Amino acid sequence: MTNPVVLITGGLTGIGWATAQAFARQGADVVVSGRHDEEGEALAGELRSAGVRAAYVHTDVRRDDEVRRLVDGTIERFGHLDVAVNNAGTQTPTGPLQEQSPDTYASTFDTNVLGVILSMKHELRAMLPQHRGSIVNVSSVAGHIGMPDAAVYVASKHAVEGLTKSAALETATEGVRVNAVAPGATQTGMLDRYVGTPEGRHAFEDSVPARRFGTPDEIAQAIVFLGSDQASYITGQVVSVDGGYSAR
Ligand SMILES: NC(=O)c1ccc[n+]([C@@H]2O[C@H](COP(=O)([O-])OP(=O)(O)OC[C@H]3O[C@@H](n4cnc5c(N)ncnc54)[C@H](OP(=O)(O)O)[C@@H]3O)[C@@H](O)[C@H]2O)c1
């Protein structure tokens, strides 16, 4: 059997980086994408040194042409596409709704929502003719609850969950599954930028039922499972990996 071929957007840091490592440990061929070519080539080189078939493709997920090139390049290099992890995401500066603007909307939605639409569009173009594939979108606990001072980000992640369910219904008879993982607070650069002060960090950590933040690898494990054939009857679902946050 051939190795699964996995593509990851925003794959150079945090959850995307951990997902690349987790799939590599499972013996997958891995295509990482992002916007920093030196770091991307270095990551692909490290994976290859560890015996993994890996490549880096420069991709800003807001750009249709770049996402097209990512998917076409993956097919050219590895022959097929089995798993796509749409992880690239960005934050809105925190603040109440009355401080939001067309710019904060666009800077959030262009990556978090348009980026997922463009990614799924091109991934499905590759997967549907194969009658095989698994897409995992990275949402957030913010994709199904409200959060003060984060309304635009919250709305963007609600959109990711709506897109996930709609795409799953469109593709359920075609051998393609579409799910989302919804991380809670996870120890990455994004969380550091969000929590700010050490006091803010402790208060946020105390608000998690598990009383700790998640690790990127804990999120990656759920992504690997949803991508795998072990999840063959799971589609249109949002799997929360949040230390109990959304159960409150
Ligand atoms: N950490 C958390 O607590 C948490 C909780 C819930 C959900 N999430 C979600 O998890 C995902 C990964 O975030 P993370 O926590 O791992 O933070 P992160 O380390 O900041 O990762 C986000 C990645 O997305 C990339 N990215 C941003 N805009 C992009 C664009 N337009 N095109 C391509 N890549 C882009 C970033 O690269 P650049 O350097 O190029 O910007 C970065 O590598 C995001 O979707 C985030 O919303 C995180």
Side-chain angles (χ1 to χ4, degrees):
M1 196 175 142
T2 56
N3 296 343
V5 178
V6 179
L7 164 171
I8 302 162
T9 69
L12 309 188
T13 62
I15 292 167
W17 183 92
T19 301
Q21 306 293 330
F23 274 111
R25 288 195 298 273
Q26 300 275 320
D29 300 339
V30 179
V31 178
V32 286
S33 67
R35 300 189 290 184
H36 307 279
D37 298 345
E38 208 172 305
E39 287 87 342
E41 294 294 358
L43 173 57
E46 282 165 29
L47 291 168
R48 283 194 295 270
S49 302
V52 177
R53 294 208 310 164
Y56 163 74
V57 181
H58 177 99
T59 314
D60 183 328
V61 296
R62 299 170 298 182
R63 295 188 55 96
D64 196 28
D65 55 337
E66 294 189 11
V67 181
R68 175 187 297 279
R69 212 163 42 235
L70 167 63
V71 171
D72 289 350
T74 300
I75 300 294
E76 272 161 34
R77 181 125 182 204
F78 295 111
H80 51 113
L81 173 63
D82 299 297
V83 181
V85 183
N86 298 323
N87 163 78
T90 191
Q91 297 154 294
T92 316
T94 49
L97 253 176
Q98 58 272 27
E99 288 177 9
Q100 303 309 316
S101 66
D103 285 346
T104 61
Y105 168 83
S107 68
T108 308
F109 270 66
D110 283 358
T111 292
N112 293 4
V113 183
L114 178 62
V116 170
I117 293 171
L118 296 177
S119 298
M120 287 205 290
K121 161 184 151 175
H122 289 293
E123 292 153 5
L124 289 173
R125 187 168 54 75
M127 288 176 174
L128 289 172
Q130 300 171 169
H131 302 289
R132 173 180 169 77
S134 175
I135 293 175
V136 184
N137 294 321
V138 179
S139 176
S140 167
V141 68
H144 39 272
I145 63 171
M147 288 171 73
D149 293 330
V152 177
Y153 178 78
V154 165
S156 75
K157 292 299 188 178
H158 275 65
V160 169
E161 297 191 6
L163 288 165
T164 300
K165 292 173 191 173
S166 301
L169 294 176
E170 289 182 18
T171 59
T173 57
E174 306 301 320
V176 175
R177 298 181 295 105
V178 186
N179 293 290
V181 162
T186 308
Q187 290 171 36
T188 68
M190 184 177 284
L191 181 68
D192 291 341
R193 293 187 293 275
Y194 178 72
V195 291
T197 61
E199 296 74 38
R201 190 179 183 85
H202 288 130
F204 194 16
E205 203 160 19
D206 273 350
S207 73
V208 179
R211 298 286 185 271
R212 68 172 179 86
F213 295 141
T215 67
D217 187 58
E218 287 175 308
I219 311 304
Q221 294 305 323
I223 294 172
V224 168
F225 168 69
L226 285 174
S228 76
D229 287 344
Q230 287 174 299
S232 55
Y233 200 47
I234 302 177
T235 195
Q237 303 305 306
V238 178
V239 175
S240 294
V241 187
D242 63 4
Y245 200 85
S246 56
R248 297 178 313 161

